Amino acid sequence: MKSRKIGVFDSGIGGVTVLKEIIKILPNEDYIYYSDSTNNPYGDKDDETIINICDKITKKLIDKNCKAIVIACNTASAKASHYLRNKYLQIPIIAIEPACKMIYDYAYDEPTLIMATKGTIESEKFQLLYKKYNNQKTYLLPCAGLADSIEKENSKAVKVYLKEHVKPYKGKVKNVVLGCTHYPLIKKEIREILGDVKFFNGESNLAKHLKEVLRKNNLLDDNTGNIQFIDSQGLEDKEKRFFSIIKR
Ligand code: DGL
């Protein structure tokens, strides 16, 4: 019998930062990771386009025997999670979101830079979250093009971007919310620009929440911890990069 799996998707490599946290607490589940190179980047696409893309991926993952779906992309979560949850009622859909609540709970008095894609920051879902946990000490930075440079491993473009758009916050902020799943991959580069800031992201809370949802729905399995990687363009270099980050 085919094992039941957890489907995880992102526009590309970024969601690996989510999957890594999930594996720490659910090592014996089987996974399918779907990297959507064909439609990357999501960050500047309109709502309808993102919803259609995510709908197709979710259907594909369910057809491949996924018992739960993790949207490992803040932009896709912000724009499509509501639609997907209403459409696929039979299956838990867990969605990442920027760690605004963590700042409110653990760093209320400290100035914080919130980095996310333009799509996430402009979304209704993010604006509601932001207003709910606003401590009046946050700077919002829509990082147009940054996730794309990370995806393409264009380290020069990443450095130029950080110097131009992030450096002005040096000395002004103590914390950074990494509100895009690609950004944990450039923590070192952000620290080089901003100094010793603290990072906040939603990955580990999502992992705990996923475990709890699976437990409540009687969906926990004791499988082999197998991870299948699918790239929508079949890019082998992406697969290699994916597994090298997973093992790190
Ligand atoms: N990794 C995605 C996120 O968390 C976005 C990257 C993209 O723009 O495609 O928002």
Side-chain angles (χ1 to χ4, degrees), residues 102-118:
M102 280 173 94
I103 291 295
Y104 192 87
D105 289 344
Y106 302 114
Y108 184 79
D109 286 324
E110 294 174 358
T112 299
L113 178 65
I114 301 181
M115 295 171 67
T117 66
K118 187 168 161 283

Side-chain angles (χ1 to χ4, degrees), residues 10-11 40-43 73-75 117 120 147 179-182:
D10 179 38
S11 65
N40 179 277
Y42 287 178
C73 168
N74 288 272
T75 315
T117 66
T120 296
C180 164
T181 56
H182 281 68

Side-chain angles (χ1 to χ4, degrees), residues 89-182:
L89 295 168
Q90 79 279 20
I91 189 161
I93 295 182
I94 314 297
I96 188 90
E97 65 179 20
C100 296
K101 183 175 186 300
M102 280 173 94
I103 291 295
Y104 192 87
D105 289 344
Y106 302 114
Y108 184 79
D109 286 324
E110 294 174 358
T112 299
L113 178 65
I114 301 181
M115 295 171 67
T117 66
K118 187 168 161 283
T120 296
I121 289 189
E122 286 174 1
S123 70
E124 199 185 331
K125 188 162 182 272
F126 174 78
Q127 286 298 325
L128 287 173
L129 179 81
Y130 179 63
K131 283 185 189 122
K132 186 168 172 191
Y133 296 111
N134 189 2
N135 61 353
Q136 312 294 335
K137 288 192 171 75
T138 48
Y139 301 94
L140 281 183
L141 182 62
C143 302
L146 181 59
D148 195 25
S149 301
I150 299 168
E151 183 71 22
K152 292 188 173 124
E153 293 188 88
N154 187 342
S155 52
K156 193 164 170 234
V158 168
K159 279 198 178 118
V160 169
Y161 185 92
L162 295 178
K163 216 167 158 194
E164 204 168 307
H165 300 278
V166 175
K167 202 167 179 191
Y169 297 95
K170 187 173 166 58
K172 284 193 187 159
V173 295
K174 282 203 156 76
N175 314 300
V176 176
V177 169
L178 302 167
C180 164
T181 56
H182 281 68

Side-chain angles (χ1 to χ4, degrees), residues 4 26 29 67-68 92 94 208-221:
R4 300 186 297 185
L26 290 167
E29 294 287 342
K67 61 182 176 180
I94 314 297
K208 286 180 220 150
H209 178 57
L210 171 65
K211 184 171 182 182
E212 193 48 23
V213 170
L214 294 180
R215 193 190 57 74
K216 276 194 192 137
N217 288 283
N218 245 330
L219 286 171
L220 284 168
D221 282 313

Side-chain angles (χ1 to χ4, degrees):
M1 208 181 84
K2 269 206 297 181
S3 72
R4 300 186 297 185
K5 298 171 178 80
I6 298 171
V8 179
F9 75 89
D10 179 38
S11 65
I13 208 78
V16 71
T17 61
V18 181
L19 183 55
K20 263 184 99 122
E21 290 301 320
I22 295 175
I23 291 166
K24 280 186 199 161
I25 65 164
L26 290 167
N28 297 328
E29 294 287 342
D30 286 347
Y31 299 92
I32 300 182
Y33 183 91
Y34 190 93
S35 148
D36 189 14
S37 291
T38 311
N39 296 301
N40 179 277
Y42 287 178
D44 49 11
K45 291 194 166 52
D46 63 62
D47 295 19
E48 207 188 318
T49 308
I50 300 269
I51 287 172
N52 282 332
I53 291 169
C54 295
D55 188 13
K56 287 197 186 103
I57 296 173
T58 302
K59 188 167 176 319
K60 232 177 242 165
L61 290 170
I62 293 173
D63 288 347
K64 289 183 183 297
N65 213 23
C66 286
K67 61 182 176 180
I69 303 292
V70 174
I71 310 177
C73 168
N74 288 272
T75 315
S77 296
K79 293 178 179 246
S81 59
H82 184 68
Y83 175 89
L84 296 176
R85 285 185 179 130
N86 279 335
K87 180 163 176 181
Y88 300 99
L89 295 168
Q90 79 279 20
I91 189 161
I93 295 182
I94 314 297
I96 188 90
E97 65 179 20
C100 296
K101 183 175 186 300
M102 280 173 94
I103 291 295
Y104 192 87
D105 289 344
Y106 302 114
Y108 184 79
D109 286 324
E110 294 174 358
T112 299
L113 178 65
I114 301 181
M115 295 171 67
T117 66
K118 187 168 161 283
T120 296
I121 289 189
E122 286 174 1
S123 70
E124 199 185 331
K125 188 162 182 272
F126 174 78
Q127 286 298 325
L128 287 173
L129 179 81
Y130 179 63
K131 283 185 189 122
K132 186 168 172 191
Y133 296 111
N134 189 2
N135 61 353
Q136 312 294 335
K137 288 192 171 75
T138 48
Y139 301 94
L140 281 183
L141 182 62
C143 302
L146 181 59
D148 195 25
S149 301
I150 299 168
E151 183 71 22
K152 292 188 173 124
E153 293 188 88
N154 187 342
S155 52
K156 193 164 170 234
V158 168
K159 279 198 178 118
V160 169
Y161 185 92
L162 295 178
K163 216 167 158 194
E164 204 168 307
H165 300 278
V166 175
K167 202 167 179 191
Y169 297 95
K170 187 173 166 58
K172 284 193 187 159
V173 295
K174 282 203 156 76
N175 314 300
V176 176
V177 169
L178 302 167
C180 164
T181 56
H182 281 68
Y183 301 164
L185 298 172
I186 55 157
K187 277 182 181 174
K188 191 170 110 301
E189 290 81 351
I190 296 175
R191 279 223 170 98
E192 273 165 20
I193 291 287
L194 287 183
D196 195 19
V197 286
K198 245 189 283 158
F199 291 116
F200 288 81
N201 56 51
E203 279 76 342
S204 71
N205 279 344
L206 175 141
K208 286 180 220 150
H209 178 57
L210 171 65
K211 184 171 182 182
E212 193 48 23
V213 170
L214 294 180
R215 193 190 57 74
K216 276 194 192 137
N217 288 283
N218 245 330
L219 286 171
L220 284 168
D221 282 313
D222 196 10
N223 290 325
T224 57
N226 182 59
I227 302 169
Q228 184 189 349
F229 177 87
I230 301 173
D231 182 82
S232 56
Q233 285 189 319
L235 300 176
E236 279 173 27
D237 54 333
K238 214 155 263 192
E239 178 162 3
K240 272 195 203 124
R241 189 175 172 207
F242 170 82
F243 282 110
S244 81
I245 300 172
I246 282 284
K247 281 181 196 128
R248 225 183 263 161

